[in-house]
Each structure stands twice: as C-alpha cells, then as structure tokens.
Amino acid sequence: MEKRADTTHPIHDLLARRWSPRAFDERPVETETLKSLFEAARWAPSSNNEQPWRFFVATKENRADYDRFLACLLEGNRKWAFRAPVLILSVASMNFEDNSKPNRHAFHDTGMATENLVLQATAIGLVAHQMAGFDVEKARTDLGIPSGYEPVAMIAIGRPGDPATLPDHLREREVKPRDRQPMGDFVFSGQWGTPSPFTR
C-alpha cells in the first residue's frame, strides 16, 4: 500500500512517498539492507560533526532482544508493531565529547540521522514508523543505557503490509488521506505568527 502526499507544491518523489504505516509484512529484512539504513544515518549532518546518535536494533531472528524492545512499547503501539520484523531505538548523547557541555542540538541531530534512515528505507521499498509511545525508563534500564544518553524514539521497520490485519480503528487511520498544516501556519516573516508573504 502506498499513500503518496497530496502536495500543494512540487517536492521530491521520495519525500512524497514517505509515510508512517502501521500495517507491516512480517518477512525479515536482510542484514545488508539494515547496513544500508544505518549507513544512511551515519552521513546525517550534526552540530560540530558531533554525531550524537546511537541506535539499538532488534530483529525477530534474535527473539529475546526483539521481545525486550516490544515490551518497552506502550500497549497502543504493541497492537500493531509486533508484526514489524525490525525494531530500532534511537538514543541521543546529551553532552559534547570534547568538553562535556550540554549539546542542545542532540535530539535535533538524532532526528536528522533517523530521517536519513527512514528516507533510505523508503528508497528501497521499506516503510518505517517512528514512535514516541514507549516506556523511556524501562528502555533505559533494560538496555543498560548510561547516564548522559537519552532514549528518543522507537522505530518499526519492514515491508508494507495489509491494512486488513489491523484493528478496525487503526485500519481507518491507515487508509484515510494524509494531511498537513498549511505553510502559513508555520512559516513566518518579521514577527512570530505573521505568515511569510510567499505562503499566501
């Protein structure tokens, strides 16, 4: 299933095709493919080239690891994410390595690396769904994440699946058209809340 963005202005096809489904095919993702995803993440931009991102990855080939990741998800996400063959946790290093000062861009840069990973997945026919709905403290404890690092998001990766496998309320969300705020709501000029002239 594809759900291409209905854009107001032209954008790259890869961006238009990227979306966050909940229906996953359970076929495994090959190791070489996973390497490509993390290679894409590796080349993301970051403040001072700090590269603050870290990623934990679990596949169903290692069921114990996979089940630990799954157990960190909130119930609403577990209802569909259990079909995804790959679960990833992004983590941000919150301090600069050279001087230990707080890196206020750590989450931003980790998000940049994650978007690279997600776009690479889209480019090769996979789909990804990022989730805020997980138990941060459980993930921190169960995965031994040290002080100074913050869990950011869980990510389900796999091939697109059949929406019919989802519970009714999620299936409705899966098939409804995508929508976004108009540019005038978030692109300003001069002062906060003043839409930039080119957005009109």
Side-chain angles (χ1 to χ4, degrees), residues 70-86:
L70 200 61
C72 290
L73 292 176
L74 300 185
E75 179 61 26
N77 286 328
R78 277 201 305 271
K79 287 180 180 178
W80 57 267
F82 73 92
R83 285 196 175 89
V86 181

Side-chain angles (χ1 to χ4, degrees), residues 67-178:
D67 286 346
R68 278 193 303 153
F69 277 52
L70 200 61
C72 290
L73 292 176
L74 300 185
E75 179 61 26
N77 286 328
R78 277 201 305 271
K79 287 180 180 178
W80 57 267
F82 73 92
R83 285 196 175 89
V86 181
L87 293 175
I88 295 169
L89 174 67
S90 63
V91 177
S93 173
M94 302 306 294
N95 300 298
F96 286 106
E97 286 191 13
D98 61 349
N99 59 18
S100 299
K101 290 184 177 178
N103 179 0
R104 67 178 293 269
H105 300 287
F107 269 45
H108 172 275
D109 294 347
T110 299
M112 297 280 277
T114 300
E115 180 70 349
N116 270 21
L117 184 154
V118 166
L119 289 175
Q120 178 67 21
T122 303
I124 57 179
L126 299 178
V127 289
H129 189 120
Q130 300 168 65
M131 297 167 274
F134 71 100
D135 187 329
V136 171
E137 293 310 316
K138 182 173 176 55
R140 188 194 310 280
T141 300
D142 289 0
L143 300 175
I145 297 170
S147 175
Y149 292 83
E150 284 294 322
V152 179
M154 292 281 278
I155 311 157
I157 301 273
R159 293 175 180 82
D162 184 352
T165 62
L166 297 170
D168 289 346
H169 72 287
L170 293 179
R171 185 166 57 251
E172 289 171 13
R173 292 174 68 180
E174 195 82 349
V175 300
K176 79 174 188 178
R178 297 167 61 192

